[in-house]
């Protein structure tokens, strides 16, 4: 360091960028009392001003690369989003010998392996706490707080928009489309909500969580991803009648054959704490061999909650700068040369329990047929709920199964669909007990 | 370091000591993959062997000080409990230039200021993650994960025994004495349960949490402490009828006049996540100005859950040894010369809402008298529940108030007790909404 301050350059002054600027400025005194060194924003790169920030006392550049190339800057904070320019900018910052902090989950999930290799080469820190679950220190908790454990599995509500929609569907019996429209009006959902409701955003985050939990390279393309757009208010209500809540979970589990990586709507017993995480809130359960189940909860998005995580990374990096201790914690929790090549399992090879909803002719023989097919496939039934629905032609039959290999379930489903008394569209939702 | 391993000495081989030994041994490979250095137990000090540990490959001493004085040992792990010998042993380890890790909440709460001063002097690490909430990385989350925030308040279920008792009382309508006896049989409660049920253990932990949250010296003697032994199953049921759960909370809050530090039974709205933390589980809510409310949940006791935190501290310290970066994080989160002398408020000066249960003659005028007293004291009423109880002489009247200074409430209670229609014993339980 040329002087005793740690100097920060922020690139991007949108929701998270402005929050980061404001938290660093407002809490400068408290932060210096903790860090033992003053941390100052010296350069901001932004295409336009943000009225929520008073940047009159710092250098502001319209050319974002000017921050990355500024010799004054110790830490570059990338908050522009996207993966093309962001990647270029982060790699150039690293090449310039600067430490990097980002809140960009897509960037880390898709280009993290390349970025971390470059950072290890140049011996700089790249931190990304804000990329998963906003202000919740979940990366730190897994990488450091649970470092004594063999992590067995984790399961997270890591997309606030989907959780808001599912909460509204359950509490008010509303349809998916209806709640989505409201979420868009409230600003909880984007005009194009695909990333949120189809599980892609959650898959980015799950990719990162799995890597720091198991010490495997980032493998976004291996995540099985299924969103919530097919869920009906009826399924949410039937699940509740059986003592379950439906949540969009990102699940990573280590089993003897490999690692499961999957995002999908999931029934969870209502007595689990995570089943009671509602609205836009996020929570991640992490199960380690020594600690058992733990849970981390908070706001997964928003200006200052996300900034809380970005600034914590800045403080951590500032401590490392002062002590000349970059890369104290490996990017993916395990030493770069100690990553594991355990394979990610295809969804066919995943074992889980199921909720099935069949629409069937209201005849006595149908249930016998269905249970025979399940029995012949070696699938045990946990519960059956048959809803008498007025004088309709087709009645719903809900079945909860014990855990079974997905491949076997698919074969059984094909046989059920072939029954003339059953509609082709069978609703199938996975179920996780999350108890050990 | 004399060689590339980090060498650990464990003092005490009871529940936590044996767990620590076993986790370090069983997960040695995984831990080295994370830490980048082998971490080995080289010396154990124990008065007797523990059949749950195979210590045949390490040096074992009956003289505990032999570990502290062993020149081979880099890190001394104090797991004997108590505060006399433990203090002596920890101070001697520090004097010997060794890093220290402890799970001993009483030791830190009572002698932490002295211990940390000695450690700062000798530039060694003293870590104590396991002292609060067992395997939950709550110290790390506050000290590092939320370091960007001005912490406004925290509230924790940090005594598993009390939470088990309160959960059983609520779920099964059982009496305090009845559940306590069972908890003692199950081994969840000590033969002398005073520390757990009277809030002293929670007060030790709250002392530590408040210091790392607000940067104040450890001040156990300033904590207001009230246990759960006076609670009745009726109060638990009335609270539930009003939409609340009763939990033993440790609460630390920063208000303009100073800092509140208090442990007492507390009504919490049932929709709060922390209200749903049951059995022996622990959870801590932390509210920061940037992040809002966060929550951390897991097992607060037990051999391997506690060992998980001890070993995480060992790994952190090993990283610091490798990088020659001791005291990277200040013991109490803030630099030792930057601690604050903000005063801890007496309980009289605390503002909170209340649940009151009066036993009154079943006459129309009583309620009018009581509400007049509250109104004259400037205390607003949130809800009233009058339970018609068969043909008994005295009926319970339950009142929930809005927040008011404790001093004012005490004055109002004195006036109520003076009413001839009201029994002298008025049950008064504090109520916290925990919403902002």
């Amino acid at each position: 360091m040329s002087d005793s301050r740690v100097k920060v350059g922020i690139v991007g002054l949108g929701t998270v960028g402005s929050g980061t600027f404001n938290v660093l400025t407002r809490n400068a005194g408290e932060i210096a009392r903790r860090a033992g060194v003053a941390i100052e924003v010296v350069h901001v790169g932004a295409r336009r001003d943000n009225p929520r920030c008073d940047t009159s006392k710092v250098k502001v550049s319209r050319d974002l690369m000017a921050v990355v190339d500024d010799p004054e800057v110790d830490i570059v904070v990338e908050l522009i989003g996207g993966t093309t320019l962001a990647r270029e900018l982060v790699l150039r910052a690293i090449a310039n010998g600067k430490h990097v902090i980002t809140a960009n989950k897509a960037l880390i999930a898709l280009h993290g392996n390349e970025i971390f290799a470059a950072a290890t080469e140049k011996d700089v820190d790249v931190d990304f706490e804000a990329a998963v679950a906003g202000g919740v220190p979940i990366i730190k908790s897994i990488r450091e707080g649970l470092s004594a454990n063999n992590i067995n599995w984790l399961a997270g509500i890591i997309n606030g928009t989907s959780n808001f929609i599912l909460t509204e569907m359950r509490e008010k019996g509303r349809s998916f489309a209806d709640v989505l429209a409201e979420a868009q009006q409230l600003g909880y959902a984007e005009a194009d909500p695909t990333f949120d409701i189809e599980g892609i955003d959650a898959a980015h985050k799950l990719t990162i969580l799995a890597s720091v939990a198991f010490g495997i390279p980032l493998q976004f393309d291996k995540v099985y991803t299924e969103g919530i757009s097919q869920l009906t208010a009826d399924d949410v209500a039937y699940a509740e009648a059986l003592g379950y809540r439906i949540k969009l979970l990102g699940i990573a589990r280590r089993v003897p054959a490999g690692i499961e990586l999957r995002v999908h709507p999931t029934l969870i017993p209502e007595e689990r704490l995570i089943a009671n995480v509602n609205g836009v809130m996020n929570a991640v359960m992490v199960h380690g061999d020594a600690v058992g189940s733990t849970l981390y909860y908070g706001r997964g998005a928003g200006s200052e909650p996300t900034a809380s995580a970005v600034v914590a990374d800045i403080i951590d990096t500032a401590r490392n700068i002062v002590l000349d201790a970059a890369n104290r914690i490996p990017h993916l929790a395990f030493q770069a040369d100690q990553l594991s090549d355990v394979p990610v399992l295809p969804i066919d090879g995943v074992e889980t329990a199921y909720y099935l909803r069949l629409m069937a002719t209201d005849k006595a023989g149908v249930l016998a047929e269905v249970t025979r097919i399940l029995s012949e496939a070696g699938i045990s039934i946990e519960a059956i709920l048959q809803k008498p629905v007025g004088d309709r032609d087709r009645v719903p039959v809900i079945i909860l199964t014990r855990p079974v290999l997905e491949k076997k379930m698919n074969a059984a489903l094909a046989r059920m669909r072939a029954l003339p008394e059953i509609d082709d569209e069978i609703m199938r939702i996975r179920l996780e007990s999350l108890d050990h």
Side-chain angles (χ1 to χ4, degrees), chain A residues 21 51 100 104 119 136 183 192 239 256 282 292 321 363 376 393 406 433:
Chain A
F21 184 90
V100 172
N104 192 328
V136 183
D192 176 1
N282 279 203
I321 290 174
K363 281 188 197 157
E376 284 174 10
D393 194 30
E406 177 126 346
S433 61

Side-chain angles (χ1 to χ4, degrees), chain A residues 78-79 90 100-104 107-108 126-131 313:
Chain A
E78 182 280 302
L79 299 171
V90 162
V100 172
I101 287 154
T102 177
N104 192 328
L107 177 71
I108 296 298
V126 175
D127 280 312
F128 49 92
E129 179 64 79
D313 276 349

Side-chain angles (χ1 to χ4, degrees), chain A residues 53-122:
Chain A
C53 293
D54 173 13
T55 52
S56 61
K57 286 178 188 144
V58 302
K59 188 169 169 185
V60 178
S61 296
R62 298 290 173 225
D63 170 14
L64 305 184
M65 286 297 175
V67 178
V68 173
D69 293 336
D70 183 343
E72 271 251 290
V73 167
D74 301 306
I75 303 173
V76 170
V77 184
E78 182 280 302
L79 299 171
I80 57 171
T83 55
T84 307
L85 178 58
R87 170 177 164 276
E88 199 181 313
L89 200 145
V90 162
L91 288 173
R92 184 145 135 193
I94 293 168
N96 287 343
K98 298 186 191 304
H99 305 286
V100 172
I101 287 154
T102 177
N104 192 328
K105 53 250 175 184
L107 177 71
I108 296 298
L110 299 176
H111 302 294
N113 296 324
E114 177 189 18
I115 289 168
F116 297 148
T120 303
E121 178 84 8
K122 293 288 285 186

Side-chain angles (χ1 to χ4, degrees), chain A residues 13 45-50 60-62:
Chain A
L13 211 57
R47 298 257 161 73
R48 64 191 71 80
D49 290 337
N50 186 328
V60 178
S61 296
R62 298 290 173 225

Side-chain angles (χ1 to χ4, degrees), chain A residues 1 4-6 28-39 315 318-319 322:
Chain A
M1 287 192 300
S4 66
R5 299 173 299 148
V6 169
E30 187 100 346
I31 289 170
R33 279 179 62 213
R34 293 178 186 265
V37 62
I39 297 174
I315 296 169
R319 296 189 205 275
V322 169

